[in-house]
Amino acid sequence: MERAADLQDTASLTLKFKFNPKLGIDNPVLSLAEDHDPSDPWNLARPRFCLLSKEEGKSFGFHLRQELGRAGHVVCRVDPGTSAQRQGLQEGDRILGVNNNAVEHEDYAVVVRRIRASSPRVLLTVLARHVHDVARAQLGEDAHLCPTLGPGVRPRLCHIVKDEGGFGFSVTHGNQGPFWLVLSTGGAAERAGVPPGARLLEVNGVSVEKFTHNQLTRKLWQSGQQVTLLVAGPEVEEQCRQLGLPLAAPLAEGWALPTKPRCLHLQKGPRGFGFLLREEKGLDGRPGQFLWDVDPGLPAEKAGMQAGDRLVAVAGESVEGLGHEETVSRIRAQGSCVSLIVVDPDADRFFSMVRLSPLLFLENTEAPTFPQGSGSAPLVETEDPSLEDTGVPSVPLGSRQCSLYPGPGGGYGFRLSCVADGPRLFISQVTPGGSAARAGLRVGDVILEVNGYSVGGESDLERLQQLPEAEPPLCLKLAARSPWGLEAWIPLVAVEDGALASDLL
């Protein structure tokens, strides 16, 4: 109700193009008619940028869903007291960009993976729903509304090691930031990729924009023999100013970093993969999944795995925050060829210090692709024998009926996916201890009927949207396993926490 008046004013919104000779592109700029009150708090004349930071053990604080029947990714809920709320993200906002990637026309699952892979910090480009609708009406569905930096024009994360000349830079004098760097010719900073005239944004993951000169000097001195700086050259500053982009760390590219994530590709041998996956706390106290007992001569060691590596991603998808069982399930779903992204303890400490995801710096790491297999033997040793895989049969094993009642949070505790170019819906995730798990639902089960209605037609999605309003119990007719294999699944919908077709991020 608070936005009713604002929605009535959408007719006064106009969209103009401003040619940027430096970028060589036409930048769309949303503007308001002259009679629009400039003091109106809903004056969203340009896309908004929300730099979110995830606190330890928490989410960014918003729920994302895909609109049915049209492109776009919509914020459907913002949790109070979270980073999302503090940074101004609002229910109904359309996600146009994630860091420096325009995502409006990307698949929903890809957008979710981008956001999760960026944790603990992510920059979102958003438009309010009514502004977005006006822009689309004037420009069409295929127009790009998200400003992005040009190729090679990005802030830089530079790791500098002292030499006989020190760090090789001095800082412009002033009582308080912002600060700019003056480089020594041929010095350590220049060799580490710091551009001339760079603006200093962060030191070892801490913003120094509001530091006093004394505080900055103390911070640099405390760094010892090496320091990691986030900097922006003059060209980056200018582009960000013209586009309205903040000089945010998730936009950065790495220069002379001391360590990088590693992409491992394992093909199962007769004796398995040869490693143990264990859940434990890392050196910084954060819980995670760690790789141990790497057997000499087996595929894990040959691929470059080292005992003590932290598992960061499976098949390119972040496993941060996942429990042991779900991580094992994702590995097993890869079949006999497994793709893992890992960091060693030094890399783990480094990316934790700079508060950036190692997955943001994977672009320069070789990441060949493997065809996914359908092996039925255990993919990885675990400390829980009950997790041993029984395989994925190539045909369904009959059908069964399950009746589910919502749990204490109002959800049923499972997630659905659909197969590419196929009519079937599948159970792709089951929450341990939830209603679905207690009723016997298993990952890979095929949905044949929902509340007595056959599934497999064009009205499936519409029927699924009505599930949260349906009177319990939820009655499902299931086939035992998918005939298409796990690799063909497309994430579709979650039926948990009472929020259909949304992901908590």
Side-chain angles (χ1 to χ4, degrees), residues 27-56:
N27 290 332
V29 177
L30 286 166
S31 61
L32 297 172
E34 292 182 359
D35 58 351
H36 190 89
D37 182 3
S39 65
D40 185 350
W42 293 100
N43 184 349
L44 303 178
R46 304 184 70 170
R48 295 166 13 246
F49 302 97
C50 300
L51 180 58
L52 310 185
S53 297
K54 184 181 290 188
E55 298 176 11
E56 185 63 39

Side-chain angles (χ1 to χ4, degrees), residues 481-503:
R481 290 286 185 179
S482 163
W484 283 281
L486 297 171
E487 70 277 3
W489 293 11
I490 299 174
L492 178 68
V493 64
V495 190
E496 51 188 350
D497 299 328
L500 194 68
S502 71
D503 287 88

Side-chain angles (χ1 to χ4, degrees), residues 196-210:
R199 178 172 172 174
L200 181 59
L201 306 174
E202 294 184 2
V203 175
N204 294 337
V206 177
S207 173
V208 297
E209 291 278 87
K210 295 183 179 180

Side-chain angles (χ1 to χ4, degrees), residues 52 54 59-67 72-79 84 89 93 95 107-117 124 317-318 320 322 326 330 414-417 428-429 431 490-505:
L52 310 185
K54 184 181 290 188
S59 69
F60 287 122
F62 70 97
H63 298 248
L64 189 69
R65 67 174 174 83
Q66 182 180 22
E67 284 196 303
H73 317 288
V74 183
V75 176
C76 58
R77 193 170 98 194
V78 177
D79 295 331
L89 199 64
D93 280 344
I95 305 293
D107 290 339
Y108 174 77
V110 174
V111 178
V112 171
R113 282 199 295 269
R114 285 191 187 278
I115 295 172
R116 286 178 172 158
L124 301 180
E317 186 165 357
S318 174
E320 183 194 4
L322 298 186
E326 188 171 355
R330 293 196 179 190
F414 68 92
R415 185 179 298 273
L416 292 180
S417 296
S428 57
Q429 181 178 326
T431 303
I490 299 174
L492 178 68
V493 64
V495 190
E496 51 188 350
D497 299 328
L500 194 68
S502 71
D503 287 88
L504 172 63
L505 297 168

Side-chain angles (χ1 to χ4, degrees), residues 145-209:
L145 303 178
C146 179
T148 56
L149 293 173
V153 183
R154 306 263 295 278
R156 295 182 181 182
L157 189 69
C158 301
H159 185 75
I160 309 171
V161 179
K162 269 185 181 179
D163 59 16
E164 61 277 5
F167 285 130
F169 66 84
S170 59
V171 179
T172 56
H173 285 284
N175 292 330
Q176 192 167 359
F179 302 100
W180 282 264
L181 303 181
V182 179
L183 304 185
S184 301
T185 303
E190 187 177 78
R191 296 196 305 272
V194 178
R199 178 172 172 174
L200 181 59
L201 306 174
E202 294 184 2
V203 175
N204 294 337
V206 177
S207 173
V208 297
E209 291 278 87

